[in-house]
Amino acid sequence: MLVAVQSPEGTKRIECKSSESINSFLRKVQSAFDVKADFTLYRERNKKVPLLSSDRKQLTHYGIQQGDTLYLSFQSNENKPVPMETGTPSKRESDVPAFPNTLEDKVDTYLFKQNGTIHRDRDPKLCQHGPKGKCVHCIPMEPYNEAYLQEQNIKHMSFHSYLRKLTGGIDKGKFAALENISCKIKDGCKEHLPWPQGICTKCQPSALTLNRQPYRHVDNVVFENPFLVERFLNYWRCTGHQRIGILYGFYEPHKDVPLGIKATVTAIYEPPQEGSRDFLRLLPDEKAGIVDQIAKDLGLARVGWIFTDLIPENLQKGTVKHIRNINSHFLSAQECIMAGHFQNKHPNPCKLSPDGYFGSKFVTVCFTGDASEHAHMEGYQVSNQCMALVKDNCLLPTLDAPELAYVRESSNEQYVPDVFFKVKDSYGNEVIQVARPLPIEYLLVDVPVSTPNEPQFTFYADASKTPFPIENRLLDGQVQDFSKLMSYLRQFNSDQFLEAMSDFHILIYLATMDLLPLMDDFGPLLEAIRNKDRELAVKWSKSERWATVEQLLDSEGSPNPDSFPSQNSHGASGATNSSSDSSLWICSYCTYLNQPHNTSCEMCSLPR
């Protein structure tokens, strides 16, 4: 049977038996509410009949039956709802119940404390009061004000404006809940056989009616400088094949949208993949964990993914086809499923959700042709409803219509809830249809993409120098190897070590190179790059591990007297000798590292 338990944090239903002991039932209540302090259950609202702890007494002793309500009272303040600030901390607090164990992003913590209201100046025609007064014509507006959003051409309100709307009013969001959608049968139901033999209303997921999401978790995507985009696009220019990249950057407040969030991209990592003109497939990436750790130490994180869909129109003019528009599609169903997969892997931490997360800030950027037949970027996210359908494996792409998706039908292996969407017929009436097939516009949320007027550079970039090759590009002249490292470093003087190392791609190569991986010693160097600390970078360049790399660079070829590897290895460190015979040498055939006295390679026996 089900018994409701009402507490200051809300009401929950506990599954139990009438013959269950009081202690067993109390343990279930403690687990359901995650209670860490002392509490008491009462039979009546007036709290005169408590349920005393006992292993012998059963629920029937207190006359508890199916559907009854019990009342929980805390003995201390440890488990009371934590008030969260929704305005200026010194003026107003909210009574929204929170889950304090969730570690939110810094931008969310900052925006939650902001007032968020939209300032309006005194109207000289309508306002009849003094300069310090306020009236209905000049009082600040809430960040979710529909008239203001339409006036500023803001299609979706920000996520924190949506939270402010939920937590506003007299009840302060007491009955608002950020619950994640589930399309799976709930586990643990013992009243029937497992699916497909049986199912009940308690464990059966609810039917889902798709609605266009009114808010978005990220309000703008900004690439720090055009150099990032051009390097990524050069692969398509060289091969004509499509490409996927992972966007690394950080989140910060977006001033153009009330309580908005901006994703700033500082680097694009290209994972192992296979691609052609009409095909892209990601391959397993053994270095993904190391790349994420390097980014974390630099103060960065994964913020999205980018892919190209470019078909040349006129090679002489450099134009591309305009294939994504209102008459075809903006994202294909397969791309929506991919976006949902990425967003489920990178959920948005949220204290107002009992699961500790709600939605995702992970963005999708498509490089395609615009109406003027020039390459440009379009940004999207998929809705939380789409994330749930993808997470529970309910959404499929169609065979020959990229603008349509298809919701699975229930089978013996999987139960799929009914999914509907609303359309207007020829008479203007709303008609509910089953999502088989489904227009993917119901799943999309637009996100603007731009580059700043004044380029910014988290990593060093100089047009006069040849950049280090990007990883996983199997092209002639663009493969990362030791010779490329040597030629890249020779472009810098001995006092430019910090600039030379301020490159995301060379850091990945040095951390994962087969000959001498440096990931275990990268801490001080990444700290120096993050803080632009030149002295700390120079100190790290004099370490023993980097001295070994300099030896390998010198043995690869004749050193450049003006480049810092030669200066450091023979001057500061003292770890090598100026004679090439006294340093280790690399076999040019098999790249094995040999001792100085060997005249032939120990691995392949070929001469030095």
Side-chain angles (χ1 to χ4, degrees), residues 392-407:
D392 296 330
N393 195 25
C394 298
L395 201 62
L396 296 171
T398 53
L399 181 62
D400 54 356
E403 72 278 6
L404 299 176
Y406 194 89
V407 176

Side-chain angles (χ1 to χ4, degrees), residues 403-441:
E403 72 278 6
L404 299 176
Y406 194 89
V407 176
R408 289 180 185 269
E409 298 182 11
S410 296
S411 62
N412 292 338
E413 291 77 22
Q414 179 183 0
Y415 174 84
V416 179
D418 294 328
V419 181
F420 307 97
F421 65 96
K422 296 179 181 180
V423 294
K424 289 187 177 182
D425 59 14
S426 57
Y427 299 99
N429 300 320
E430 282 192 346
V431 180
I432 297 179
Q433 294 187 3
V434 180
R436 299 185 182 101
L438 162 69
I440 55 98
E441 283 79 6

Side-chain angles (χ1 to χ4, degrees), residues 241-262:
H241 295 173
Q242 311 304 337
R243 196 70 173 166
I244 288 180
I246 303 298
L247 306 178
Y248 282 88
F250 54 90
Y251 299 107
E252 57 184 339
H254 185 41
K255 299 180 180 180
D256 296 336
V257 178
L259 298 178
I261 294 177
K262 175 173 62 176

